[in-house]
């Protein structure tokens, strides 16, 4: 398989850093009570979002979960509008009515939601639409190892396989569904093995290695664009944060968490860039500083944006005149 170029890897690093720094900052602000609702962060899972989305075009669709910030950033969202949505402000993607778990942006063909497993059939719907319109766009769905035990997972894989739809099923195995380990909830070791039940390829790869994620997804996307049908990808990773912000995480063994910190994707990629691609430490610092400045700007935009008015609460709930 072709090795990624230095430019490609630096671009991926920069996006992973943006996601990590953004979520860390959001976690900090959330802790002070400035962001309403719940908060689920994806620290540690950045390589999956970035490695998958590096294969996508603007016309490809994404259906995501309650832990969606990374996916949305990697798909190219306007960070200011996304941040304003998290803060519940009128300038947000959904005029402040969706919040962190309900981020929608038709301009980048992205949607997510808090119902575990609900994104899978939606992605099949997008895939069906692309196929019927004769387009070579693909539909990607991110879901957790917990969601892989929902009925929607099996129903979606079955239909997508039967109709040879251009859907890439991306299971992010971060070892836990809230406090329940994968071993406690899942009868088999790798969800990728479930693909055989539907006669489609199932690929398990290291979700903390952005190049591996990229290459596995590349093959799946190529197959989907050629009309050869769906692929199930399972990327193993680790959720470095709690399930939600405020989670005491009493269920995580200390040694397991420490090991995960040593194996986390950004540190691993830094090592590759420094040792194998001749990138300097100063260059990496500059990338981090530039990304941090973008984040500060987005947060300032959100904090200074007006709140929606109470009388606007019922606006945009129904589409007037039917669905177009
Ligand atoms: C249908 C449904 N059941 C239960 C919940 C409560 N819930 C929210 S997140 C979650 C765990 C999801 O685990 P996983 O799919 O592995 O994703 P992760 O949180 O690890 O990213 C559960 C059970 C829900 N939101 N929706």
């Amino acid at each position: 398989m072709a090795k990624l170029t230095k430019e490609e890897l630096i671009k991926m690093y920069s996006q992973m850093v943006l996601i990590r720094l953004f979520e860390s900052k959001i976690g900090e602000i959330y802790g002070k009570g400035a962001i309403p609702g719940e908060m689920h962060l994806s620290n540690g899972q950045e390589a999956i979002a970035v490695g998958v989305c590096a294969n996508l075009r603007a016309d490809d669709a994404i259906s995501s979960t309650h832990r969606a910030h990374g996916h949305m950033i990697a798909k190219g969202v306007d960070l200011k509008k996304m941040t304003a949505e998290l803060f519940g402000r009128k300038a947000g993607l959904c005029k402040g009515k969706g919040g962190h778990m309900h981020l929608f942006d038709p301009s980048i063909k992205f949607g997510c939601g808090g119902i575990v497993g609900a994104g899978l059939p939606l992605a099949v719907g997008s895939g069906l639409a692309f196929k019927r319109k004769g387009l070579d766009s693909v539909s990607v769905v991110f879901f957790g190892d917990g969601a892989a035990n929902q009925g929607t997972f099996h129903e979606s894989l079955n239909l997508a396989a039967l109709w040879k739809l251009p859907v890439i099923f991306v299971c992010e195995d971060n070892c836990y569904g809230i406090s329940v380990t994968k071993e406690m909830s899942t009868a088999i070791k790798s969800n990728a093995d479930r693909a055989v039940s539907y006669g489609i390829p199932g690929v398990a790869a290291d979700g903390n290695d952005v190049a591996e994620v990229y290459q596995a997804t590349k093959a799946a996307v190529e197959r989907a664009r050629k009309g050869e049908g769906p692929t199930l990808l399972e990327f193993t990773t680790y959720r470095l944060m709690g399930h939600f912000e405020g989670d005491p995480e009493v269920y995580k063994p200390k040694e397991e968490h420490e090991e995960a910190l040593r194996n986390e994707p950004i540190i691993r990629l830094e090592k590759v860039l420094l040792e194998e691609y001749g990138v300097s430490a100063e260059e990496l610092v500059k990338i981090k500083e530039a990304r941090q400045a973008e984040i500060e700007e987005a947060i300032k935009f959100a904090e200074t944006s007006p709140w929606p008015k109470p009388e606007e609460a019922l606006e945009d709930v129904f589409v007037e005149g039917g669905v177009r």
Side-chain angles (χ1 to χ4, degrees):
M1 220 173 279
K3 214 175 153 191
L4 290 170
T5 64
K6 181 172 156 181
E7 289 66 36
E8 285 171 327
L9 268 189
I10 286 189
K11 194 171 170 207
M12 290 182 195
Y13 173 77
S14 177
Q15 281 188 308
M16 285 164 66
V17 162
L18 175 63
I19 297 169
R20 174 71 59 86
L21 294 176
F22 177 77
E23 292 211 290
S24 300
K25 186 75 189 176
I26 290 297
E28 195 186 306
I29 297 172
Y30 182 81
K32 292 181 189 155
I35 298 176
E38 264 199 274
M39 184 56 65
H40 308 85
L41 303 177
S42 69
N43 298 40
Q45 304 181 199
E46 299 87 351
I48 304 175
V50 171
V52 167
C53 291
N55 287 284
L56 303 183
R57 304 189 309 228
D59 55 301
D60 296 324
I62 291 186
S63 164
S64 177
T65 67
H66 52 287
R67 205 178 297 289
H69 303 159
H71 308 144
M72 198 171 209
I73 292 173
K75 187 70 171 42
V77 73
D78 178 324
L79 198 63
K80 286 185 180 167
K81 286 188 187 168
M82 178 182 166
T83 311
E85 187 58 38
L86 264 53
F87 278 71
R89 305 304 168 100
K90 197 174 171 177
L93 292 168
C94 304
K95 300 184 188 172
K97 295 174 190 172
H100 128 88
M101 259 193 285
H102 306 102
L103 298 164
F104 295 89
D105 186 353
S107 74
I108 57 161
K109 286 199 162 35
F110 187 99
C112 67
I115 310 291
V116 172
L120 289 125
L122 295 177
V124 174
S126 300
L128 179 60
F130 293 148
K131 184 163 180 163
R132 292 183 84 162
K133 286 180 174 174
L135 302 172
D136 73 343
S137 315
V138 301
S139 169
V140 171
V141 53
F142 291 98
F143 56 97
D145 47 290
N149 289 326
Q150 289 287 79
T152 50
F153 167 86
H154 299 279
E155 296 169 39
S156 301
L157 257 75
N158 183 54
L159 264 193
L162 182 68
W163 292 340
K164 276 193 183 300
L165 300 180
V167 185
I168 326 294
F169 293 93
V170 180
C171 181
E172 295 182 289
D173 174 6
N174 63 9
C175 303
Y176 289 96
I178 307 185
S179 56
V180 180
T181 62
K182 185 173 169 210
E183 291 69 35
M184 282 164 75
S185 65
T186 305
I188 52 167
K189 201 166 183 309
S190 172
N191 273 307
D193 292 345
R194 289 175 163 178
V196 77
S197 314
Y198 303 102
I200 62 169
V203 180
D206 183 347
N208 283 359
D209 180 335
V210 73
E212 203 172 312
V213 173
Y214 175 81
Q215 302 288 14
T217 310
K218 189 170 193 274
V221 169
E222 279 170 8
R223 181 180 140 80
R225 291 208 202 284
K226 279 191 275 177
E228 291 172 7
T231 300
L232 171 60
L233 302 173
E234 183 199 51
F235 296 123
T236 41
T237 182
Y238 192 82
R239 195 190 70 217
L240 292 175
M241 309 297 280
H243 170 69
F244 58 93
E245 283 306 276
D247 178 356
E249 294 184 79
V250 287
Y251 51 86
K252 272 188 188 172
K254 198 167 165 269
E255 310 71 52
E256 177 189 278
H257 190 86
E258 283 167 359
E259 172 61 25
L261 281 174
R262 283 191 289 275
N263 190 37
E264 65 97 349
I266 294 185
I267 288 182
R268 274 179 61 178
L269 182 53
E270 281 178 353
K271 204 166 169 329
V272 170
L273 288 170
L274 293 167
E275 293 174 11
E276 294 174 34
Y277 284 81
V279 177
S280 68
E282 294 72 41
E283 229 176 307
L284 300 184
V285 170
K286 270 196 192 142
I287 292 172
K288 284 185 187 160
E289 285 172 354
R291 289 315 212 173
Q292 192 65 50
E294 251 176 85
I295 293 163
E296 298 303 334
E297 212 180 297
I299 285 167
K300 199 167 160 204
F301 173 79
E303 280 174 341
T304 53
S305 295
W307 293 95
K309 295 195 178 84
E311 56 271 28
E312 291 164 0
L314 297 180
E315 285 174 11
D316 304 313
V317 178
F318 297 107
V319 176
E320 299 293 338
V323 178
R324 283 176 285 267

